[in-house]
Amino acid sequence: MMKAIQFTATGGPEVLEVVDLPVPVAGPGQVLVRQQAIGINFIDTYHRSGLYPVKLPSRLGMEGAGVVEAVGDGVTRFKAGDLIAYASGPLGAYAEFHAVVAERAVHLPDGVDAATGAAAMLKGMTAEFLLRRCYPVKAGETILVHAAAGGVGSILVQWAKHLGATVIATAGSEDKADRAKNLGADHVILYRDQDVAAEVRRITDGRGVPVAYDSVGAATFEGTLASLARRGLFVSFGNASGPVPPFAPARLQMAGSLFFTRPTMGDYQATTADLDESAAALFEVIKSGAVKIDIGQTFSLAEARKAHEALEGRETVGASLLIP
Ligand code: NDP
């Protein structure tokens, strides 16, 4: 048997329960992972709350790292004993063991341990596709990154600096602003107090930014829209404050012939080749030291509720892990 987190109704963190379940068996094409670290992601709160519907009762968690305990029929990518990580589910990473599709997992290279892997994979490969493929950031550009002290935000700031961009970051507190500056942000806006668009216009001599990465959603939508340069791209990639409400396309026209995209990692990682390329790019910036994976807080598996309260309460910095 193993310990796992399950919920039978959607709701707040209190719906999460620790249960005893049989250790899963690796089916055809799957590997059984003895988990050493589990990544906590904001998407886990959307599954738990019902914002992203799941079939109940449901397990939780998309990301983890650990040692291959057993391989199912047809698996050639891994063998027992390999250290691997995965970031695209299936739901159920919050557990001591997890059976995952071999083609959706990767080897962790030497020098990247399980904790770093579980903290880096989902958030880092998100940063990879956002900065390199959704909008390829070029040296010398000034870009806007919201929630810059958070899990994805911390990596976005460092990677964007590595690409040679000037980064305008936003953060929810003075402490988080300091953290964003230490990561390399050139300017930090305290978006709970300051007018984001006014600050961005001031910093950019009125021009605005060619791209804005917005994971906050509802609360920052208007400020982000008003921060973009003519023909700029609004990358709306998350809903930490709630989803962006419907808006008329004419808003994009009025704000300067803007582009708007609502991307998700799954579509930028549709094939195993995409996954391998994205992970390789991430491991390269980690190993070179250009991107440091900041594990801000660690919880035991049984503390999953507490971890969700902290994440939704804006109390976390960097990445959060559950340790089984
Ligand atoms: P974070 O560690 O960034 O936590 C979310 C942060 O958002 C908080 O720390 C907080 O920072 C900020 N925030 C602003 N408003 C609120 C609010 N009302 N409630 C809670 N937090 C708020 O989480 P992750 O790194 O796991 O994810 C970041 C975002 O990226 C999420 O929106 C997630 O859904 C999205 N994402 C999207 C992916 C995709 O494929 N599209 C893939 C991965 C992540 P502060 O206190 O500084 O405001």
Side-chain angles (χ1 to χ4, degrees):
M1 299 293 278
M2 66 167 189
K3 299 276 180 219
I5 300 295
Q6 185 173 279
F7 58 110
T8 52
T10 54
E14 69 283 355
V15 301
L16 301 181
E17 289 171 342
V18 184
V19 293
D20 288 307
L21 294 174
V23 173
V25 173
Q30 292 185 331
V31 291
L32 179 65
V33 185
R34 179 188 284 271
Q35 307 222 96
Q36 295 180 338
I38 298 155
I40 302 174
N41 292 285
F42 221 90
I43 193 172
D44 306 339
T45 72
Y46 308 148
H47 290 137
R48 191 212 69 222
S49 72
L51 179 66
Y52 293 177
V54 294
K55 195 165 163 287
L56 297 171
S58 178
R59 301 273 303 284
L60 196 62
M62 306 283 291
E63 179 179 39
V67 174
V68 174
E69 183 84 358
V71 299
D73 285 348
V75 173
T76 53
R77 197 168 155 85
F78 303 111
K79 59 180 188 327
D82 286 351
L83 183 63
I84 71 167
Y86 61 90
S88 51
L91 285 185
Y94 288 18
E96 290 173 311
F97 291 87
H98 195 30
V100 302
V101 177
E103 297 286 313
R104 304 305 299 165
V106 298
H107 286 277
L108 286 180
D110 288 346
V112 179
D113 61 14
T116 305
M121 290 287 289
L122 202 153
K123 299 167 189 76
M125 293 191 299
T126 298
E128 184 281 317
F129 85 77
L130 290 173
L131 294 170
R132 292 175 11 126
R133 292 184 285 148
C134 185
Y135 177 97
V137 170
K138 293 173 280 303
E141 287 183 320
T142 300
I143 70 168
L144 176 62
V145 175
H146 282 301
V152 176
S154 299
I155 302 176
L156 278 175
V157 170
Q158 296 177 77
W159 205 328
K161 288 307 298 173
H162 178 58
L163 293 171
T166 295
V167 177
I168 306 175
T170 65
S173 69
E174 296 277 2
D175 281 354
K176 290 186 179 187
D178 287 344
R179 214 161 170 113
K181 275 194 196 123
N182 289 336
L183 293 168
D186 299 274
H187 309 271
V188 186
I189 301 170
L190 288 168
Y191 59 178
R192 293 171 94 160
D193 306 321
Q194 292 179 286
D195 178 335
V196 171
E199 285 301 301
V200 169
R201 296 280 166 194
R202 184 183 62 74
I203 294 163
T204 58
D205 294 328
R207 286 187 300 277
V209 289
V211 63
Y213 295 104
D214 187 337
S215 64
V216 176
T220 45
F221 173 76
E222 292 294 341
T224 301
L225 199 68
S227 296
L228 283 157
R230 185 171 283 143
R231 301 194 301 274
L233 175 64
F234 191 137
V235 183
S236 173
F237 73 99
N239 332 280
S241 67
V244 172
F247 65 92
R251 296 291 311 275
L252 302 176
Q253 172 203 354
M254 309 285 272
S257 301
L258 302 181
F259 297 84
F260 185 95
T261 185
R262 187 15 179 132
T264 188
M265 191 177 77
D267 288 313
Y268 282 83
Q269 219 177 70
T271 65
T272 304
D274 290 338
L275 166 67
D276 286 343
E277 280 174 36
S278 187
L282 172 63
F283 294 141
E284 195 180 307
V285 290
I286 292 175
K287 292 183 84 170
S288 76
V291 169
K292 294 192 178 49
I293 301 302
D294 177 11
I295 301 172
Q297 46 285 305
T298 298
F299 302 87
S300 70
L301 181 60
E303 292 178 315
R305 283 183 188 176
K306 195 174 147 195
H308 276 219
E309 281 163 7
L311 186 60
E312 289 173 295
R314 306 173 79 162
E315 289 161 17
T316 63
V317 289
S320 306
L321 292 180
L322 292 177
I323 302 298

